[in-house]
Amino acid sequence: MGLRNCKLCGQVFVSDSYKICSQCREEEEQDFLTVKEYIYDHGKRSIPEIHEGTEVSVKRIKKFIREGRLMETGVELTVECKRCGAPITEGDYCKECRDALTNSLSQGNSKDKKEEPKRKSNSRMHTSIWRDD
Ligand SMILES: [Zn+2]
Ligand SMILES: [Zn+2]
C-alpha cells in the first residue's frame, strides 16, 4: 500500500507509482494538450513565450520537453542539461554528460570484452629434421 502526499497539491492519495494525484495528473494532461496546441498553432516559440501564451508554468513546460512528449509537434524545443547547461531536446543531460555519467556508473560492472588475439603457445612448429650424418 502506498499512501503518499501529492507532490503538487499535497493531498494524500493512493499511489500507483505516480508522484502526483489523479486530479493533478489530469490537470497536467490538460496543460500538455494546451502547450501542444499552442505549438501547433504558433510554431517554434521560446519557453517563456509558450508560458505566456498558455499560462502553463515554465517548470511544467520543461518537464514535457524533458519527457520528450512535445517532439510529436515536430518543433525542436530545448532545455538545459542539468550538469553542464548545454541545450538539449530531451531528457536531463546532454549526450556527453550522459556518456560520462553512464561510464562512471558502469565502471567495474562491465568488463569490456576486447578480443585479444590468443597466442597459441602450444603449437610450436616441430622442425626437427633427422639427419643421418
Ligand atoms: Zn495533487
Ligand atoms: Zn551536459
Side-chain angles (χ1 to χ4, degrees):
M1 274 293 287
L3 276 180
R4 66 162 92 196
N5 289 89
C6 169
K7 244 181 115 184
L8 293 175
C9 67
Q11 198 174 265
V12 178
F13 72 108
V14 182
S15 166
D16 41 4
S17 82
Y18 287 101
K19 291 188 174 82
I20 58 178
C21 70
S22 57
Q23 203 186 318
C24 289
R25 228 149 65 210
E26 247 168 58
E27 277 174 29
E28 195 176 80
E29 204 51 39
Q30 202 50 55
D31 280 353
F32 172 69
L33 293 175
T34 308
V35 171
K36 201 171 77 171
E37 288 291 306
Y38 182 85
I39 294 169
Y40 273 130
D41 286 350
H42 298 82
K44 187 164 184 163
R45 287 284 184 273
S46 69
I47 293 171
E49 277 174 325
I50 298 171
H51 163 63
E52 270 180 35
T54 59
E55 292 182 355
V56 175
S57 74
V58 168
K59 197 181 159 193
R60 188 164 285 184
I61 297 168
K62 285 186 179 180
K63 183 174 180 282
F64 293 146
I65 297 170
R66 288 193 198 282
E67 288 171 348
R69 297 178 69 188
L70 290 169
M71 283 192 167
E72 63 180 273
T73 60
V75 173
E76 197 172 84
L77 297 161
T78 56
V79 287
E80 70 281 359
C81 168
K82 282 184 179 175
R83 194 161 172 262
C84 72
I88 51 172
T89 55
E90 191 185 4
D92 291 334
Y93 304 104
C94 70
K95 192 184 175 298
E96 274 157 47
C97 290
R98 236 173 24 235
D99 283 351
L101 288 166
T102 34
N103 278 345
S104 66
L105 279 179
S106 64
Q107 235 167 38
N109 285 335
S110 65
K111 284 174 189 171
D112 264 4
K113 281 182 183 174
K114 282 178 188 172
E115 279 184 32
E116 280 180 30
K118 282 178 187 173
R119 283 182 190 172
K120 291 175 183 175
S121 53
N122 289 332
S123 65
R124 273 184 214 145
M125 294 273 278
H126 286 281
T127 51
S128 47
I129 298 167
W130 291 89
R131 286 184 188 181
D132 276 338
D133 270 336

